[in-house]
Amino acid sequence: MKILLLNPPTYDNRAFIREGRCNQEQGVWSTLWPPITLASAGAILEASGHCVDILDCAAQGIRLKELLARIKKGNYYLVAWATATPSINSDLALAGEIKAVASGVKTGVFGTHVTALADECLDDSHHLDFIVRNEPEESLKGLAEALEKGKGLEGVMGISYRDTRGHVCHNNRRPFINNLDNLPFPAWHLLNLDPYRLPLTGEKFLILAPLRGCPYQCNFCTAQTYYGRKIRKKTVPRVIAEIEYVMSAFDIKQFFMWADTFTSDREYVLEFCQHILKRRLHVGWTCNSRVDTVDGSLLNTMKRAGCWMISYGIESGDQKVLDKARKNTTVDQCREAVRFAKDARIKVAAHFVLGLPGETAETLEKTIKLALDLDPDVAQFYCAVPFPGSSLYELAEKQGWIENRNFDDFRQDNAIMNMPGAPPSVVNYYRRLGFRKFYLRPSRFVSFSKLLRAAGILQNIKGGAKFVRWMANSS
């Protein structure tokens, strides 16, 4: 018998990315991210002797009816899937759909939402057997072994479930994986990798996860719920070995460094770059960063080692809003970090969060002005969402800012917190205004045209169409 790991479909067939703190529909220009957690969990389960299938229903276009047919015929004893806050109603309902076609299959979920609200989720779905809390791989392995051997669940750390009397049990929290070098390479061979392509160029790419954990205190983020506060790193030789494996096995040379702040340890990044240069690896890569963790010298080295885009969480153009969000960065640092990247000829993706505590129409206008002044290559404007697992959720609940608790509406394109000075209608207005002001400038059309020409004629058409759809959905 086998285990099935899923990025599940939704009832309305929206393609969701459910990866740690990232709870969203397809990314910029309809980009789909390779499901690193599923691939990592699959690798650990395979290494322990389990037979595993992985389905990314969003990437493969698998709808609910087809998924259920596969499960009915699949001889699975455990089906486990990733969840996200804006899709949680659909995600939890899937357990009942599975039981209807394969009553003997055990069902389990993981993700930040179910970790934060485990009791509520088990109450909402009586067909759900297990919740795997926090970092899921080792807990899934322990659960699979207990089920396969018919052992009790009391000793499986990191899971929540109902006992034989129907009482909810929360087993002890599992320690985070300390030595990440012990993880096997992600089981990308269990996935169809063709759908995971960069916007515009159409090149295939995969995710690398060189480190886990986030020590920063941003109140709107759930990163610590998934990977904890302590930064844990794979050694650089281990990361390089994984790059060389992916290049050889899958002929893929583009990578997204999956880390909340890849540049948090300057010496680690320099060592990584030096290994790439020394081994003459012809790769391209992008990463997430903070504006207070970069400098000109570091970014120039990253550029030489293949970094072509860096993502900064700018969040706001108002210092008081940044301070209330516990971002611990300054507007001046934002300006400097963007300038450093441009000087190094690294493209910049800037992310802005509108509707944080303390916002007013004036602070929202300052954020849009900052976006125009910085003029990054890509700008994303999100609404602040009080995701369960974040301190913003606790604050919003306490202050009574959440008037509609339908999690379907907890989306980054939709403001839901009714705060003094910035009700949802105001935040949504400024989000649309930000997209229009940033992307409908003549200079943006010129820059975008250059990108399209560089990508080739066929990808021009595809990239342009995706861009139009993305803009229409965003504004």
Side-chain angles (χ1 to χ4, degrees), residues 220-232:
F220 52 87
C221 187
T222 63
Q224 294 166 351
T225 301
Y226 206 62
Y227 284 142
R229 297 181 185 277
K230 180 183 176 182
I231 293 180
R232 298 160 286 140

Side-chain angles (χ1 to χ4, degrees), residues 173-186:
R173 182 170 180 166
R174 183 178 295 273
F176 291 106
I177 300 168
N178 188 48
N179 188 347
L180 297 182
D181 277 12
N182 289 338
L183 292 172
F185 294 157

Side-chain angles (χ1 to χ4, degrees), residues 12 44 56 70 86 96 129 133 149 166 189 195 265 305 321 338 341 360 407 422 448 455:
D12 55 4
I44 286 177
D56 184 348
R70 291 191 183 204
D129 294 308
R133 308 189 311 271
K149 296 177 182 178
H189 60 281
D265 184 335
V321 171
V338 171
T360 63
F407 288 121
F448 185 65

Side-chain angles (χ1 to χ4, degrees), residues 338-353:
V338 171
R339 178 173 59 82
F340 284 148
K342 288 185 176 184
D343 288 347
R345 293 177 293 110
I346 295 176
K347 296 186 183 304
V348 176
H351 302 265
F352 302 90
V353 179

Side-chain angles (χ1 to χ4, degrees), residues 323-339:
D323 294 343
K324 284 189 176 182
R326 302 205 300 268
K327 184 69 182 180
N328 200 29
T329 57
T330 68
V331 175
D332 286 342
Q333 287 174 326
C334 297
R335 296 182 188 277
E336 192 172 50
V338 171
R339 178 173 59 82

